[in-house]
Amino acid sequence: MPMIIIAGLILAFVLMMLFGNRTTRQCKWRMDRARDQDGQSFYRCAVCGEIRFTNDGRPPKLCATEVPPPSM
């Protein structure tokens, strides 16, 4: 039974690495509804400080910076 759990965790990790969105991995987009304008949603990246507006209400798909996130 423990082998099945370990195999499942390894499989989940591999799938996350394969299908994860690498272009936004470093960005941590935060929505601020108070700053929305003209039907566009306001987002600010907590890592790099980049500001973006989107039309669909979802976080931006592309990271605007090459700054790596702080390591812990």
Side-chain angles (χ1 to χ4, degrees):
M1 187 66 155
M3 280 303 278
I4 293 173
I5 295 172
I6 293 171
L9 288 173
I10 291 172
L11 179 65
F13 180 73
V14 169
L15 289 175
M16 283 177 33
M17 294 302 291
L18 289 175
F19 295 111
N21 188 355
R22 294 179 186 181
T23 58
T24 60
R25 190 171 288 166
Q26 294 180 355
C27 284
K28 306 290 185 224
W29 295 104
R30 303 294 185 249
M31 179 186 253
D32 185 356
R33 292 184 190 267
R35 298 173 84 180
D36 289 355
Q37 296 177 1
D38 301 324
Q40 294 183 327
S41 300
F42 177 88
Y43 284 90
R44 182 179 179 280
C45 178
V47 175
C48 67
E50 180 70 24
I51 294 172
R52 294 275 177 95
F53 286 93
T54 61
N55 293 326
D56 60 1
R58 295 182 183 177
K61 301 250 186 245
L62 298 175
C63 184
T65 184
E66 296 298 322
V67 176
S71 60
M72 293 193 177

